[in-house]
Amino acid sequence: MQKKIREIRIVENAEAVSRTAAEMVVSLALKKRKSKKNFTVALSGGSTPKKMFAILADDAALCNRMPWGSVHFFWGDERHVPPDHTDSNYRMANEAMLSRVPVPPENIHRIRSENPDAGKVAEDYERELRGFFKLEVDQLPPFDCVFLGMGPDGHTASLFPGTKALHERQRLVVSNWVDKFQSYRITMTAPVLNNAGVVIFLVSGEDKAETLREVLEEQKQADLLPSQLIEPTRGKLLWLVDRAAASKLTGE
Ligand code: 6PG
């Protein structure tokens, strides 16, 4: 069996989390381009990635180094709203970064969540992944990098506590009913997220501290703490967290 590699890196604050992540994604993409391959990344929603996107667009040194032409952007999850909606994860990434950098439009693979049928949205995106990565029936997409956030309730992507999607092992993307929002979310499933070359969690803020301790230090109870489902099978897992979020970790 492959050895599991998990790293927890603690940095000063949310800004440092975002900057470290931005620098990391540029160097991963450059490494991939050296071998003349596309770099594929799945983005998440949330406040920390938003800062990271803004840094990638605003910091001229980073923006100029990023090989935008060979980077393909996907989303790990999306809200069931049209792309111009204020809740849209695509809209957030587009406003903060994609519309402001020289990325070819065909490299942007958004979840088409304007379709009122959430199940259909998920099926369409699964088809898009199968087509892009040329997957056989039982293959998983090999993302180079997946960014994830973690909610104070322990959710990640749109894998919320107690929801059906947590148990999905066949599908790549599913619609997931979330009671507390009384709406569907569209989300990649745990097997897809776990098949990435590197999974990077971005976590900041004191309101995440207790949950982070439970996720990292308590026994596995993934139905309550879905972030514990993330255990890459072939790649690395990096928790990039700020001091406030890490304040309750005991190191055990
Ligand atoms: C979303 C997300 C979600 C997010 C976490 C953390 O669509 O909301 O993808 O999983 O990453 O809720 O969000 P924050 O970084 O804003 O706390």
Side-chain angles (χ1 to χ4, degrees):
M1 216 176 104
Q2 210 183 334
K3 204 173 137 222
K4 284 182 187 150
I5 307 168
R6 178 177 92 172
E7 184 191 344
I8 301 167
R9 198 177 302 176
I10 302 168
V11 297
E12 195 53 37
N13 50 29
E15 171 72 24
V17 169
S18 312
R19 179 157 292 278
T20 308
E23 284 164 2
M24 231 171 235
V25 73
V26 172
S27 78
L28 287 169
L30 282 172
K31 207 183 267 175
K32 205 73 202 279
R33 204 194 43 180
K34 265 195 188 154
S35 49
K36 299 198 170 25
K37 287 186 183 141
N38 283 327
F39 177 74
T40 53
V41 57
L43 306 176
S44 78
S47 50
T48 321
K50 188 174 178 180
K51 279 200 197 85
M52 171 182 85
F53 300 155
I55 291 172
L56 283 168
D58 291 337
D59 183 310
L62 277 179
C63 187
N64 292 338
R65 280 176 60 220
M66 183 70 150
W68 296 103
S70 62
V71 181
H72 283 257
F73 293 94
F74 295 81
W75 276 262
D77 76 317
E78 183 55 280
R79 289 92 185 266
H80 191 206
V81 293
D84 57 351
H85 194 282
T86 44
D87 290 345
S88 162
N89 284 344
Y90 161 75
R91 175 178 157 159
M92 186 274 272
N94 192 48
E95 285 182 355
M97 172 178 72
L98 298 172
S99 62
R100 305 167 55 214
V101 299
V103 60
E106 62 274 19
N107 289 17
I108 300 173
H109 307 265
R110 72 173 178 87
I111 299 177
R112 304 203 168 266
S113 50
E114 57 273 39
N115 188 331
D117 181 342
K120 191 78 180 30
V121 176
E123 277 171 30
D124 287 349
Y125 205 52
E126 177 158 330
R127 198 171 311 115
E128 165 131 20
L129 296 184
R130 288 194 182 285
F132 180 85
F133 289 103
K134 300 186 174 53
L135 302 180
E136 305 286 343
V137 190
D138 56 351
Q139 281 182 320
L140 295 166
F143 281 103
D144 292 308
C145 178
V146 165
F147 282 104
L148 292 173
M150 183 194 75
D153 62 355
H155 85 261
T156 190
S158 281
L159 300 169
F160 285 83
T163 56
K164 210 172 150 198
L166 303 184
H167 306 283
E168 181 58 53
R169 295 293 174 269
Q170 304 299 322
R171 296 282 307 277
L172 307 182
V173 184
V174 292
S175 60
N176 195 24
W177 177 257
V178 186
D179 253 347
K180 70 172 166 188
F181 303 133
Q182 285 294 295
S183 73
Y184 282 101
R185 291 284 189 99
I186 319 301
T187 188
M188 286 184 189
T189 56
V192 173
L193 302 170
N194 281 332
N195 192 47
V198 57
V199 179
I200 306 177
F201 268 96
L202 305 179
V203 186
S204 65
E206 211 184 330
D207 59 325
K208 310 269 177 80
E210 179 54 25
T211 310
L212 187 67
R213 187 196 65 73
E214 288 171 11
V215 167
L216 294 177
E217 297 183 352
E218 295 281 322
Q219 277 196 348
K220 198 165 170 185
Q221 36 176 351
D223 226 34
L224 287 176
L225 297 167
S227 295
Q228 289 181 328
L229 283 173
I230 306 306
E231 294 181 313
T233 48
R234 64 177 189 99
K236 278 190 239 167
L237 173 58
L238 172 65
W239 284 85
L240 198 46
V241 306
D242 72 357
R243 276 191 199 290
S247 59
K248 295 200 172 158
L249 296 181
T250 65
E252 277 171 27

